[in-house]
Amino acid sequence: MSRRERALALTAAAVPILQLCPGLGWLPTLVGGAAASALLFIICKVPFDPGVRAPGEKRPVTRASALLLAAALAGLAAWAARESECAFPQTDGHTLPGCLLALLAWTAARRGSTAPARCASVLFPILAALGGVVLVFSLPQLRAEWLRPSWRPEAAARACGALLLPGSVLCLPAEGPRRAVPAAALGAAVTAALAAAVTGGILSPALAQGPKAFWTLSRSVSVLGVVRRFEALVSAALLIGGFSLSALLLAAARAVCGRAAPAMAQKLYDAALPVLLGLICCAEEKLYPICGIGAICSGLVCIGAQEIEKQKKFEKKKNNA
């Protein structure tokens, strides 16, 4: 994985780290993140290529599952843009900011992952500095009695799904070995668990389960004994993360379409824009978990079908020899 790809994945991970996981508890977040890292490690062992390798070669099951995966990734990109609506209190509940961010991400990913990756390589140091300031200066305010571990299986499952999102970088055309992806996912899981511990240890576990918990925490961060208002910085970090995650998911969807249906890939991608905007404006919240489950299932089916076809080819060569 190239340096730019790594920056894109880590910048996209700001959404689960700062927005989705702080209210889940540090133990479920750590366990769910470790599960996500293990799953990505297994997937890295199996090269993902739903395309056609030779003229006349047909892979109907692999192609169908790949196109379903692309559709699910596009749905998740719409969800990521919609989540960015609550980055700033002034835009919470308004669909126009989500539509504008989706349009920006769609434009950036229209020719592949190069433009989003370049943006992320510039934005990641800024994002790391913003989040790091809030986390570091929050540590002295922790209350040990609020850090006792609590276990909720559904919270661990949600954390696993959230921290799998940046793993869509595996769908992009490979630029070198992908061994760094599971390690990056594990680092994101540890950071998310730290954010969840800081949030619960300062706001209390009950208040930490509310919406925008990390943003609420940033309003009371004390630097050298003086309370500083960091919520605008956290809002900016959430907006940066939302753009990067949406662009990454759209670039991954385009890459999968390009390998499964090369002749139609660009037309399908161009036609996806009104669908994305419609999902942001009209879709129910229940649709987005379905997209997440569909992405995982279709990706696993695609990999399984690909491995079965490879085994058949190997057996055929063995018999001919």
Side-chain angles (χ1 to χ4, degrees):
M1 184 168 62
S2 67
R3 180 182 61 83
R4 287 177 176 173
E5 282 185 341
R6 190 181 301 113
L8 179 59
L10 292 175
T11 306
V15 175
I17 291 173
L18 302 180
Q19 190 167 355
L20 303 178
C21 294
L24 300 178
W26 66 267
L27 181 59
T29 298
L30 187 60
V31 173
S37 179
L39 182 58
L40 292 174
F41 176 79
I42 295 172
I43 293 175
C44 282
K45 297 295 184 180
V46 183
F48 177 72
D49 183 12
V52 176
R53 290 178 178 271
E57 183 182 2
K58 296 182 179 179
R59 294 178 172 182
V61 176
T62 312
R63 279 186 168 183
S65 57
L67 292 175
L68 181 60
L69 172 60
L73 290 172
L76 289 172
W79 164 83
R82 187 170 178 175
E83 285 292 303
S84 68
E85 295 171 2
C86 61
F88 290 88
Q90 296 84 352
T91 61
D92 195 1
H94 300 279
T95 57
L96 180 59
C99 292
L100 292 176
L101 188 138
L103 177 60
L104 184 62
W106 178 86
T107 304
R110 191 170 184 270
R111 296 300 179 187
S113 62
T114 303
R118 286 177 176 173
C119 292
S121 63
V122 175
L123 293 173
F124 176 67
I126 301 173
L127 182 61
L130 294 178
V133 166
V134 176
L135 285 175
V136 169
F137 286 104
S138 297
L139 293 177
Q141 304 175 51
L142 289 176
R143 299 181 61 173
E145 62 271 20
W146 285 347
L147 292 177
R148 287 177 294 185
S150 61
W151 174 251
R152 290 181 293 149
E154 70 280 4
R158 289 176 60 188
C160 179
L163 289 164
L164 275 175
L165 291 172
S168 55
V169 72
L170 292 175
C171 297
L172 301 178
E175 295 185 9
R178 295 295 176 87
R179 292 188 296 268
V181 174
L186 187 59
V190 173
T191 307
L194 176 61
V198 170
T199 304
I202 294 177
L203 297 182
S204 82
L207 290 177
Q209 296 180 26
K212 301 177 67 174
F214 193 82
W215 181 88
T216 304
L217 163 71
S218 66
R219 303 184 68 183
S220 60
V221 174
S222 175
V223 180
L224 301 178
V226 180
V227 174
R228 303 290 184 183
R229 303 289 294 267
F230 285 101
E231 62 267 28
L233 299 181
V234 172
S235 294
L238 292 175
L239 193 63
I240 291 172
F243 164 76
S244 298
L245 180 57
S246 185
L248 170 59
L249 291 167
L250 286 173
R254 184 188 181 282
V256 172
C257 279
R259 291 197 295 267
M264 300 175 57
Q266 193 61 45
K267 293 181 180 179
L268 289 173
Y269 185 85
D270 291 342
L273 179 59
V275 178
L276 289 174
L277 300 180
L279 288 175
I280 294 172
C281 295
C282 306
E284 296 288 335
E285 288 290 338
K286 295 179 181 179
L287 175 65
Y288 300 116
I290 295 174
C291 289
I293 296 172
I296 295 173
C297 294
S298 56
L300 293 177
V301 168
C302 191
I303 291 173
Q306 178 180 300
E307 288 302 301
I308 291 173
E309 289 170 359
K310 285 183 179 179
Q311 187 64 28
K312 287 181 179 179
K313 287 182 180 179
F314 176 76
E315 293 293 336
K316 186 176 181 179
K317 285 184 178 180
K318 187 176 179 182
N319 293 333
N320 291 337

